[in-house]
């Protein structure tokens, strides 16, 4: 099983790469056909050399962790005979310096809010167990050393 993405960037006419005056904005295309604008975080590379409206690698990483957790949560709920009416997460990734002084995504906090059909909400302990199992199964979480916490709303 493979997953593919294409990242395309071209130096703008009139840019001055040696002086650092060039756009880092690029296109990211996924194997299913979706395409998004990519750029470094404006906190790392200020505009006009980045684009705050584009997806930066760090936020894409945070979104990947959140989406993977959600997909496993939904499937495990289904397998347990539960129906989820809505799922919303405001995931936050926190940058920190490692032992070598380099920035990395040190922590990701998932804050899922789960909506259940009227009268069908499981016990809080059952929901917590679903989150634990979803985290253990998440391909992305199993692929990284970043600390990932889940604090359901």
């Amino acid at each position: 099983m493979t997953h593919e993405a294409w990242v395309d960037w071209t130096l703008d006419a009139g840019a001055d790469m040696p002086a650092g005056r060039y756009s880092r904005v690029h296109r990211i295309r996924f194997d299913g056909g979706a395409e998004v604008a990519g750029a470094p975080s404006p906190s790392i590379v200020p505009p006009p050399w980045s684009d705050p409206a584009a997806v930066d690698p760090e936020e894409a990483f945070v979104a990947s962790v959140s989406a993977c957790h959600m997909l496993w949560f939904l499937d495990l709920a289904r397998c347990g005979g539960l129906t989820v009416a809505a799922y919303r997460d405001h995931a936050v990734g926190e940058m920190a310096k490692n032992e070598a002084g380099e920035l990395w995504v040190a922590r990701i906090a998932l804050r899922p809010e789960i909506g259940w059909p009227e009268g069908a909400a499981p016990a809080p302990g059952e929901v917590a167990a679903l989150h634990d199992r979803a985290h253990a199964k998440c391909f992305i979480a199993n692929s990284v050393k970043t600390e990932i916490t889940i604090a359901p709303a």
Side-chain angles (χ1 to χ4, degrees):
M1 174 179 354
T2 63
H3 304 277
E4 299 181 31
W6 292 261
V7 177
D8 294 307
W9 172 87
T10 304
L11 185 65
D12 292 337
D16 186 352
M17 196 165 194
R21 291 190 300 270
Y22 64 97
S23 175
R24 277 75 159 183
V25 177
H26 52 278
R27 298 299 302 166
I28 305 168
R29 186 171 48 86
F30 298 92
D31 54 9
E35 194 170 314
V36 297
S41 169
S43 65
I44 305 294
V45 177
W49 317 123
S50 67
D51 179 358
V55 177
D56 67 63
E58 296 79 17
E59 65 190 358
F61 175 57
V62 171
S64 293
V65 170
S66 176
C68 186
H69 182 86
M70 177 200 67
L71 292 168
W72 275 110
F73 183 92
L74 295 175
D75 189 60
L76 292 167
R78 175 195 62 84
C79 290
L82 299 171
T83 297
V84 177
Y87 186 108
R88 175 176 286 157
D89 186 14
H90 176 200
V92 177
E94 185 180 324
M95 302 288 286
K97 289 192 177 185
N98 64 15
E99 310 79 42
E102 300 294 335
L103 283 173
W104 69 300
V105 180
R107 279 173 290 293
I108 297 173
L110 305 182
R111 298 186 193 106
E113 295 179 44
I114 313 301
W116 304 98
E118 188 67 36
E126 189 175 354
V127 175
L130 283 170
H131 281 299
D132 288 344
R133 289 176 54 215
H135 181 65
K137 291 201 166 272
C138 174
F139 306 136
I140 308 300
N142 285 324
S143 301
V144 299
K145 66 180 183 176
T146 296
E147 175 189 351
I148 301 169
T149 61
I150 298 111

